[in-house]
Amino acid sequence: MTRIFSGIKPTGHLTLGNYLGAVRQWAEVDQHRADALFCIVDLHALTVEHDPGRVRRLSRQAATLLLAAGLDPERCTVFVQSHVDEHARLSYLLECVATDGEMRRMIQYKEKSARERARGGSVRLSLLTYPVLMAADILAYGADEVPVGDDQRQHVELTRDLAVRFNQRYGHTFVTPRATLPVVAARVMDLQEPTSKMGKSDYAGAGIVYLLDEPDVVRKKIMRAVTDSGQEVAYDRESKPGVSNLLEILAACVGGEPEKLSDAYTSYGALKKDTADAVVELLRPLQERHRQLVADPAYLEGVLKDGAEKARGMARPTVDAAYRAIGLLPPS
């Protein structure tokens, strides 16, 4: 059976982009067709300045939202990265296989380190090396597929390179995974800056629809979305990024293709109204299930505990094999 692994980082409140770009496919497709693991990758949240209490709160909230979105612990494995030591164990071995040049070519490192330096801050070493930890997250489980957003494709390519290199040098140990992308809304853009991804780490939030936003807040954000010059409603990512983003969101909510949906509209206002209505209805059952789960914290604790035990059992044989292959003495 195909095995898939994917994770979500608790650096901010989960957004519509997270849901349409990844989580919905996990719940509706991936957990039903494969041996699936979904992880709150909390160690990745430590690569920049952070509030420890906030990381813990966001980790719990993210796990709750994954369950609210439809992930079923009877069908898939839901767990927290730091609860399974094999991630950190394997990460160091892969650092011994990766190169400095590979790390510095990572697009996200270039962008995030430049922003940090512009603010006068220092860049943590973990920001440079975290793609190796991401590779360890994937390779520890022998994952065949990694459902990711378009911006994470480079990291999966690095993972493939490290797996092949390790296997060639030390003997076949790892499965070489491949990235899989959702068909529609692989990358939902910010409503105020439609050429930038809708990222959960943006604290301003004016162009971001969060999964727990109240309906009135959702409507206000979408009705205030930046559109484009001219009055024609057309799907064109290059010349009309704002309208195209709304059409992609609407298509992802109600089905259909953005190009064909554009034919039904003669004004931006009507498109915004229908998109807002569709998003509110999409989030309604998720928010109701979230309220139920928050009222029963023991259930979440049990899911995460069981998930970590199951994940540990899957990862340990592979990581132990990697330790032997690379030349380390086994414990007596």
Side-chain angles (χ1 to χ4, degrees):
M1 189 176 188
T2 299
R3 178 170 290 176
I4 65 176
F5 176 95
S6 200
I8 202 153
K9 186 164 58 173
T11 52
H13 300 288
L14 299 193
T15 72
L16 180 67
N18 297 132
Y19 182 69
L20 294 180
V23 175
R24 183 171 67 170
Q25 178 169 305
W26 298 353
E28 295 184 355
V29 179
D30 293 332
Q31 70 172 336
H32 300 285
R33 69 176 180 85
D35 180 9
L37 300 100
F38 301 108
C39 183
I40 310 302
V41 288
D42 54 345
L43 294 175
H44 292 294
L46 311 184
T47 60
V48 295
E49 189 65 33
H50 63 277
D51 171 18
R54 187 170 188 269
V55 171
R56 283 190 289 270
R57 290 192 300 273
L58 290 174
S59 296
R60 182 181 296 275
Q61 183 187 86
T64 306
L65 282 169
L66 293 186
L67 298 178
L71 291 189
D72 181 355
E74 298 298 319
R75 291 182 175 273
C76 65
T77 305
V78 180
F79 67 106
V80 176
Q81 179 189 32
S82 63
H83 294 177
V84 180
D85 293 344
E86 277 63 33
H87 293 255
R89 288 180 63 208
L90 182 55
S91 182
Y92 181 73
L93 294 196
L94 295 179
E95 284 186 14
C96 298
V97 176
T99 68
D100 175 77
E102 285 175 314
M103 297 300 97
R104 296 187 186 280
R105 284 194 295 271
M106 292 289 106
I107 294 171
Q108 290 205 12
Y109 171 74
K110 291 180 179 180
E111 294 176 348
K112 291 180 179 180
S113 61
R115 287 198 298 268
E116 193 64 32
R117 292 189 181 97
R119 290 197 294 262
S122 58
V123 178
R124 300 185 181 194
L125 179 61
S126 56
L127 185 63
L128 178 66
T129 60
Y130 91 88
V132 177
L133 176 58
M134 181 175 174
D137 298 337
I138 298 164
L139 297 180
Y141 297 99
D144 303 288
E145 297 181 11
V146 188
V148 292
D150 188 57
D151 59 320
Q152 293 293 325
R153 197 195 303 237
Q154 187 186 35
H155 289 158
V156 180
E157 288 304 314
L158 173 69
T159 302
R160 291 172 56 84
D161 291 343
L162 295 180
V164 169
R165 190 177 306 155
F166 191 103
N167 290 345
Q168 289 175 341
R169 290 180 181 176
Y170 306 114
H172 186 79
T173 306
F174 299 119
V175 173
T176 305
R178 63 185 181 275
T180 58
L181 303 173
V183 176
V184 177
R187 198 175 191 191
V188 178
M189 312 307 278
D190 191 290
L191 296 172
Q192 292 298 314
E193 297 181 27
T195 57
S196 300
K197 187 181 73 165
M198 185 181 283
K200 60 182 179 296
S201 299
D202 185 345
Y203 290 98
I208 302 171
V209 175
Y210 296 105
L211 295 186
L212 296 179
D213 276 347
E214 294 290 335
D216 287 348
V217 174
V218 173
R219 294 181 194 280
K220 184 180 296 185
K221 288 180 178 179
I222 294 177
M223 293 306 294
R224 292 179 177 176
V226 168
T227 48
D228 311 289
S229 59
Q231 299 299 317
E232 181 187 10
V233 178
Y235 182 73
D236 186 330
R237 268 290 180 193
E238 294 298 319
S239 63
K240 286 185 171 290
V243 171
S244 297
N245 189 38
L246 291 171
L247 286 167
E248 284 205 359
I249 292 171
L250 180 61
C253 290
V254 303
E257 300 175 10
E259 297 92 337
K260 293 181 179 178
L261 287 174
S262 67
D263 295 337
Y265 295 96
T266 58
S267 71
Y268 293 160
L271 172 61
K272 288 181 176 181
K273 182 180 182 303
D274 284 358
T275 303
D277 289 343
V279 172
V280 167
E281 289 306 309
L282 181 76
L283 296 183
R284 192 184 305 280
L286 181 149
Q287 293 179 350
E288 175 58 32
R289 178 60 177 153
H290 178 267
R291 285 190 288 270
Q292 295 170 358
L293 290 168
V294 167
D296 185 9
Y299 175 73
L300 177 65
E301 295 295 337
V303 167
L304 296 180
K305 181 176 182 294
D306 292 345
E309 291 177 358
K310 186 177 176 183
R312 196 176 300 117
M314 284 188 272
R316 183 162 293 169
T318 298
V319 177
D320 285 349
Y323 268 62
R324 291 192 300 270
I326 206 169
L328 299 177
L329 283 173
S332 56

